[in-house]
Amino acid sequence: MPITKTTGRQAVPLGRQERDVLYAVGCGLRDDEIATVLAIPEEAVAGHLARILAALGLRDRAAAIVHAFDCGLVAPGRGPRRQATSLPAMSPLATSPPPPAGAARHAPGPRLRISVLGPLRAWRDGQPLDLGHLRQQAVLSALALCLGRSVSRQELTDGVWGEEPPNTNVVPVYIYRLRKALHAGGGPDSVIERDRSGYRLLPGAVGVDVARVEELVTAAGGAERAGDLAEAVRACSQALDLFRGEPLAGQPGPFAELERLRLTERRIVIVQRKLDWQLRLGQHAEAIAELSALAVAQPLNEPVAAMLMRALYLSGRQGDALTVYDRTRRRLADDLGVSPGRLLRHTHRTILRGDDIRLGLTGTTR
């Protein structure tokens, strides 16, 4: 997958090694870990990351993680959507080969739903299920986020226990217990299947809230392209309603830690898209409350600050909009030692001049 940023008329592509570094950053690896995997000096990793940030117009490492996730270079629980031959098994749960196209599918039993966008929960036919203790739940979380592909026993061990694996091979025990807990009574088949590559949840028998979120976000993008911003806002709102708190709350292990970061950032991106569309629809007053709360939670997020300033200004609250700029400028200086970026400065100048701010969209992360 080519990763580029268009500047004027010229597209600035990333080189192969820079794409590999961006993927590794998106997976949450430190510079020393990336250097080990790519067999390059740690200083070279830092240099590649600096060029990536400059080429893509990103402010910091956190923005690079969000970009890798949002552009599809790294997907929840699935690693890269491209073939990364130079990065074997970098993620704790690296991508496994997809099942053969002609593989037999089990007939789905009663509908099973799993939610990871909050504390792990599962229902069968609307009835809540007992999923056991946290490590056992973490195994199920990994399978749910890798829906449709197999995860090996070693991958599960690494992802759930990290550098402190159990003394005994407990993964098959947990799989056995989860099969019993998830079993759709009346049918001989379990929703957890084992093949040569490991274990997987059968996608035809399981619905996971993360997959539904991405379906709704895709629908929102389609609605925007069709010019129906109201429908785009509605689809994004439905996606956000699926978040019930911190994703994978309380789940142990490096896999859950990484996915928690990705899904939290994903939610922020979806909120920004929805609010940007609301502003374009003229729903300024409706967006102010949510933007204010998001600005408190993300005080260094300049696109959010710019959107809040824009909403306040268009609601006749120029003084409050300028206060937001001053507050954000001070936080950037105190916490990061940097000045506001171009977007925030442009919004500030536009408000000071009293120009029509609707002519300059905020350009939120897509």
Side-chain angles (χ1 to χ4, degrees), residues 316-339:
R317 299 167 58 182
Q318 181 181 23
D320 291 338
L322 296 175
T323 297
V324 171
Y325 176 81
D326 289 336
R327 182 177 65 230
T328 307
R329 177 182 56 79
R330 287 195 299 268
R331 285 298 301 265
L332 289 168
D334 293 344
D335 294 5
L336 302 179
V338 299
S339 301

Side-chain angles (χ1 to χ4, degrees), residues 178-220:
L178 288 169
R179 280 173 170 159
K180 290 184 64 177
L182 302 176
H183 182 65
D189 296 327
S190 168
V191 295
I192 301 179
E193 180 184 61
R194 182 177 181 181
D195 57 23
R196 290 184 302 173
S197 300
Y199 304 98
R200 69 174 186 142
L201 286 173
L202 299 182
V206 182
V208 180
D209 54 359
V210 171
R212 179 58 180 156
V213 165
E214 294 307 324
E215 291 174 0
L216 289 165
V217 170
T218 298

Side-chain angles (χ1 to χ4, degrees), residues 77-123:
R78 300 181 188 180
R81 290 180 182 171
R82 62 180 176 86
Q83 188 67 27
T85 55
S86 61
L87 295 172
M90 285 190 61
S91 173
L93 295 173
T95 303
S96 300
R105 293 181 178 270
H106 291 247
R111 188 65 174 173
L112 173 69
R113 293 189 298 116
I114 297 176
S115 172
V116 300
L117 297 176
L120 179 69
R121 297 178 65 186
W123 301 264

Side-chain angles (χ1 to χ4, degrees), residues 206-242:
V206 182
V208 180
D209 54 359
V210 171
R212 179 58 180 156
V213 165
E214 294 307 324
E215 291 174 0
L216 289 165
V217 170
T218 298
E224 181 196 26
R225 290 189 293 274
D228 190 349
L229 294 185
E231 176 60 24
V233 169
R234 188 190 69 82
C236 271
S237 297
Q238 286 185 315
L240 293 168
D241 286 343
L242 295 174

Side-chain angles (χ1 to χ4, degrees), residues 4-15:
T4 62
K5 174 183 174 63
T6 301
T7 57
R9 299 181 179 178
Q10 187 176 13
V12 181
L14 298 183

